[in-house]
Amino acid sequence: MEAYYKAQNIVSEEEWPTFWEHLKVTLPTTFRITGTRSHAAEIRETVKNAFVPLLSKVKVDDVVPEPPRPLPWYPDELGWHFAVPRTLLRKSPEYAKFHQFLVAETEVGNISRQEAVSMIPPLLLDIQPQHWVMDMCAAPGSKTAQIIEMVHANEQHKVVPAGLVLANDADYRRSHMLIHQTKRLQSPCLMVTNHDASMMPSLKLAPNKSGESTPFKFDRVLADVPCSGDGTLRKNPMVWKNWTHGGAMGLHQSQLNILQRGVQLLKVGGRIVYSTCSLNPMENEAIVAEMLNRANGSLELVDVSNELPQLKRRPGLSDWKVFTKSGQSVATMEDLPSDTKGRFYPSMWPPKNASELHLERCLRIYPHLQDTGGFFVAVFKKTATFVIPNPNSEKAAAAASEEEPIAQSSESKEEEEQEEKTTTEDTATAGDKHKLDVQTEDEPSDSVKRPRVGMTRAERYGAPAVKEEPFLFMDGESTDVGLFSKFYGLDEDFPKDQFLVRSEGERNRTIYFVSEAVKSILKSEDIHRLRVVNTGVRTFIRQDSNTPAQCTFRIHNEGIAMMRQFVSNARVMTVTLKEVLVLLQSPYPKVDEFEPSVQDRLMALPAGCCIFEFDPALEENKDEPNPRWEGQGITGFVKSLLVFPVWKAQVSLNMLLNKQERRSLAMRLGVDCVDTPHAVEGGAKGTAAMKAAAEEDSPMAEGEDAA
């Protein structure tokens, strides 16, 4: 490995010893505070003002470790890192307490464990709330979570963002782990799919409420592709043992196919970010250069030197070497031995016009620059309609040389006409019936990988034989919608036609809510071509109860933050810290366990679900010292409005939070709690997601998102 990368001149000779030694040092722990929650600033201030001063005083075995500090380049101090050995975690009560805090907040989605360099690509997408964004290779989901946060960044009262986040992964099992990661963010704008990213299908979408038909194109695309991963050496020691330069070469064509398909599905004027956790130019600059040349002027590399100004980076390479398996440097494809040519592609070599492609605009992140992993990022802008010549066609060269009119930030007329002509059948899209001279924007590339005739949909798109439950939209005037709308005083302007269920032939048990953008995809006449694994926020669940209630639907905690702004105050009750503690510390507290004044209000509430609101700022004794958290008031780390659902039976109450949510809240308040299973969770997310989570998604485990 050392000889290979020295030959590639990725760093100067003077810099090499420092670079190489950093690869052998364990990676610091990094985490990100999620930005969609109203209390993101609260979590940040807790870390900054409570834990940092506490940890600054720690000394173990004459060692004074540096306390957590914000990543200098991450906006709003929401990204943090610290380097503390595990032995110190065990010996220091202060660090053990901090670790407990991180685990609890990670379990409920307030904190995400994520490698620092992995946070960079979404930041360079420049996402706005109205954007349609696709994450092509999304699992395990840390970058997708960042994207969701950005779509929800400017949340307005009683407004569901117009944007869309489509998170895709080729592995069905990992797509369920992705669901588990992202569901904590409670976004109705998220859709999770399961496809080979290089073969993402095209759709003709249903008209929106204005009668306009939106193309299945994206404003932003993230292609964080599978790679050899040698940038993760500091975290994955096995890479040292298993690394060969041939690993990168074996991935070269699939990476190029994924990027190409992403460009096809990108709107003109849109931005696509290509990234790997590899240092190898075979997976990086070689891909970028080939893509730019295939685009024939319809793509350009964006100069992002002014974005994330405190992020230290090196420019991309404009020259690199290609080696045979035996380690021999080969100048051109023609110089290869005839028996090895099948393992190489011309795109692996630096093109003759490399100096004209501005490859220096790519970002190379090296471990020794800011104590991170290794990473590569390239940011493209699509400036015109993208047509890829078929390399098997005699007309390819002529087609590639034809110039198209430059389009602005919206789709060109030619592109719209092309969209209309696209057939909706899978076989035509894949090109297995007709060999076209040129490929259209909407067709997956068949330059290397062409589906064979007669392939099943499962074979074509990498989907398993498991049949997903259908997405069935509810009639906005149905009995069930009318029941919970009246009971909770749902706003008249709320889009009731965006509720859906996934329980065909059964009573509507779990009801989800999706955004208008998601609905336009699910209602498409081509939806059978898109393998949607999951979408929607669990909003209402039918509650099995022995107590007669006017409405058997309870609000799910997953959707309460969104729904609170749309429901009346009829089922809302303001409580103090005393009531919150009773609910946390008693399995099913009786009404008579509360203060007399509270008992009267509770008895006046009809049986069923209600919403409790606790505002720490209004607590009378808020400045009293917290018994567990030194330097904090009586409400501990809970500083902002707390909203949660409660089921009110005839004589008792039940806090409708799951085990992790209860523990996290109790920890932040500085008290103990009782783990009470509140109800059987409905819906289709359960088994696969929980199994994947149990096996691979330990909140603060070593295997956080690395790429």
Side-chain angles (χ1 to χ4, degrees), residues 343-564:
R343 304 171 189 170
F344 293 81
Y345 296 92
S347 55
M348 292 178 174
W349 279 265
K352 293 180 180 179
N353 66 338
S355 61
E356 303 169 10
L357 298 177
H358 296 294
L359 295 176
E360 74 279 357
R361 293 179 177 175
C362 300
L363 286 73
R364 283 185 156 265
I365 311 298
Y366 294 134
H368 65 293
L369 298 179
Q370 287 180 301
D371 200 14
T372 66
F375 214 71
F376 176 87
V377 187
V379 183
F380 300 87
K381 180 180 179 181
K382 186 174 179 180
T383 58
T385 305
F386 180 53
V387 178
I388 306 169
N390 187 332
N392 298 320
S393 169
E394 295 178 357
K395 301 178 182 179
S401 65
E402 292 178 3
E403 294 187 3
E404 296 178 346
I406 300 298
Q408 302 301 315
S409 60
S410 60
E411 302 285 355
S412 66
K413 182 177 180 180
E414 290 86 350
E415 194 165 15
E416 291 174 350
E417 290 173 352
Q418 197 175 73
E419 177 85 28
E420 293 172 3
K421 293 177 182 178
T422 302
T423 177
T424 60
E425 295 186 12
D426 288 353
T427 52
T429 299
D432 54 9
K433 283 187 177 180
H434 308 284
K435 181 180 287 187
L436 304 178
D437 290 336
V438 294
Q439 291 175 280
T440 66
E441 278 273 276
D442 301 314
E443 295 172 332
S445 167
D446 65 347
S447 60
V448 174
K449 179 180 178 182
R450 178 189 296 276
R452 69 177 186 275
V453 177
M455 285 180 73
T456 66
R457 183 177 181 281
E459 291 174 315
R460 184 188 305 282
Y461 294 129
V466 178
K467 183 181 178 181
E468 290 289 337
E469 295 185 36
F471 296 88
L472 307 172
F473 280 93
M474 302 179 71
D475 184 344
E477 304 299 322
S478 69
T479 302
D480 283 345
V481 173
L483 175 63
F484 58 68
S485 296
K486 181 179 179 181
F487 185 72
Y488 293 103
L490 201 57
D491 195 293
E492 291 184 2
D493 296 327
F494 186 83
K496 300 182 181 68
D497 59 348
Q498 290 167 212
F499 287 117
L500 61 82
V501 294
R502 298 195 67 183
S503 50
E504 191 174 26
E506 299 179 7
R507 284 197 316 164
N508 297 330
R509 178 171 180 80
T510 304
I511 297 175
Y512 302 85
F513 177 80
V514 297
S515 67
E516 183 180 350
V518 170
K519 182 179 179 181
S520 71
I521 295 177
L522 292 177
K523 297 290 283 185
S524 166
E525 60 187 28
D526 299 329
I527 189 58
H528 62 281
R529 303 179 60 205
L530 188 68
R531 185 172 182 82
V532 182
V533 178
N534 209 276
T535 189
V537 174
R538 282 186 288 188
T539 309
F540 295 102
I541 290 190
R542 194 184 294 274
Q543 177 78 19
D544 296 324
S545 174
N546 295 326
T547 302
Q550 295 177 16
C551 178
T552 55
F553 287 101
R554 62 179 174 87
I555 295 181
H556 196 284
N557 194 50
E558 189 175 307
I560 197 167
M562 176 186 67
M563 294 306 298
R564 174 62 188 99

Side-chain angles (χ1 to χ4, degrees), residues 171-242:
D171 187 289
Y172 180 73
R173 187 170 172 277
R174 282 169 61 85
S175 69
H176 276 277
M177 186 170 67
L178 174 62
I179 294 167
H180 180 77
Q181 282 276 54
T182 55
K183 74 175 183 178
R184 301 164 177 164
L185 294 172
Q186 307 163 357
S187 174
C189 307
L190 172 67
M191 174 178 283
V192 178
T193 61
N194 171 223
H195 287 279
D196 175 349
S198 66
M199 297 294 293
M200 283 296 294
S202 299
L203 305 178
K204 186 175 182 180
L205 302 186
N208 58 25
K209 292 184 177 180
S210 303
E212 301 170 343
S213 183
T214 306
F216 188 62
K217 297 286 179 71
F218 297 86
D219 301 281
R220 301 289 187 266
V221 174
L222 174 59
D224 183 61
V225 299
C227 66
S228 61
D230 57 22
T232 68
L233 282 163
R234 299 182 65 184
K235 193 184 70 173
N236 298 321
M238 290 301 294
V239 176
W240 290 99
K241 180 181 178 181
N242 299 329

Side-chain angles (χ1 to χ4, degrees), residues 252-260 287 290-291 294 347:
H252 175 88
Q253 198 61 39
S254 63
Q255 292 165 337
L256 186 55
N257 290 342
I258 292 172
L259 177 59
Q260 179 173 287
I287 301 291
E290 175 67 10
M291 194 70 254
R294 287 189 184 186
S347 55

Side-chain angles (χ1 to χ4, degrees), residues 29 40 55-56 124 245 272 316 359-360 425 447 462 516 523 536 572 606 641 670:
T29 297
L55 299 177
S56 299
L124 294 176
H245 67 271
I272 180 169
L359 295 176
E360 74 279 357
E425 295 186 12
S447 60
E516 183 180 350
K523 297 290 283 185
V572 178
L641 184 68

Side-chain angles (χ1 to χ4, degrees), residues 631-667:
Q632 299 300 308
I634 195 65
T635 62
F637 297 133
V638 178
K639 309 292 185 184
S640 59
L641 184 68
L642 180 68
V643 181
F644 56 92
V646 171
W647 183 265
K648 194 261 178 178
Q650 198 74 31
V651 296
S652 65
L653 292 94
N654 184 8
M655 193 180 208
L656 300 175
L657 302 181
N658 64 34
K659 180 172 64 176
Q660 290 79 16
E661 291 164 341
R662 293 172 68 92
R663 287 179 177 177
S664 173
L665 177 57
M667 183 276 303

